[in-house]
Amino acid sequence: MALFNDGPISTAADLQQYENSILTVASTENIDLAGKMMLAQQDLANEVVSFLLRRRQRCDYLPWGDSSGSLSLRELTNVVVTDPLREWHIHRTLALVYRDAYNNQLNNRYQGKWMEYEVLAKASKRTYFQIGVGLVANPVPQAAAPVLATVTGTAAGGTFYVAVTWVGAAGQEGAPSALGQLSTSNGQQLLVSVGNPPQNVTTWNVYVGTTPTTLTLQNVDPILSTIGWTMTSALNAGVALPTGQLPTWFAVDNRVIERG
């Protein structure tokens, strides 16, 4: 699972799972869908931070925040994007979109959708906090997209899709990067490298496939961040691309529930 601070919690495709016509509505009413998703995520951030600050008074061992107790993105560093959080974000985004659509046209159909998703957003928010805020003790951020190049070699040419992940000291693996794509010619070998790692990370994993949906792990052991990976033979049938860290625990009201 991704971390809250990795980027957008949900996508336009996620919104379409609830409203097939949402892209058409946004286009027709000149609504910035990406902007509304960002505003919805900020709304959720404020709610989650407020919740965690209240919990922190009772859970002094939780490892985030500063002594001032100020609201900041730092409070979200350890938060994992669970399915209930994503559902809340989708409902909140759709409520914002239909609110703007109604205010543009004063169309009762838009108003009905707006009210429907306001109710759903409140319900999904309540469910999320009842289940708990998923947290990790040692967050590993999502990796940036890999840097792809070629070196002279003996491999056959092809088109390759690549994603990378950061790996923490205890083996915690962050969410995968966006896909990179590169086509090579005969006599060229794929070379993958990564940018500067986060402070708590020194190694990384590389996943490669010949289609965007068939990426598998290529290295046996995590690779030092200062070293690139070169494809020297056929692709390994390793494990599939992961989704990121699972919560270590859930913060619920004034108690902590251990996972598993």
Side-chain angles (χ1 to χ4, degrees), residues 176-207:
S177 68
L179 287 182
Q181 177 186 346
L182 185 70
S183 295
T184 64
S185 302
N186 291 336
Q188 293 181 325
Q189 295 178 173
L190 175 66
L191 172 64
V192 183
S193 56
V194 293
N196 293 329
Q199 189 173 14
N200 62 331
V201 168
T202 58
T203 59
W204 60 288
N205 285 334
V206 58
Y207 295 81

Side-chain angles (χ1 to χ4, degrees), residues 131-161:
I131 292 173
V133 178
L135 300 164
V136 289
N138 296 295
V140 177
Q142 181 182 29
V147 178
L148 306 182
T150 61
V151 294
T152 302
T154 58
T159 297
F160 301 99
Y161 297 86

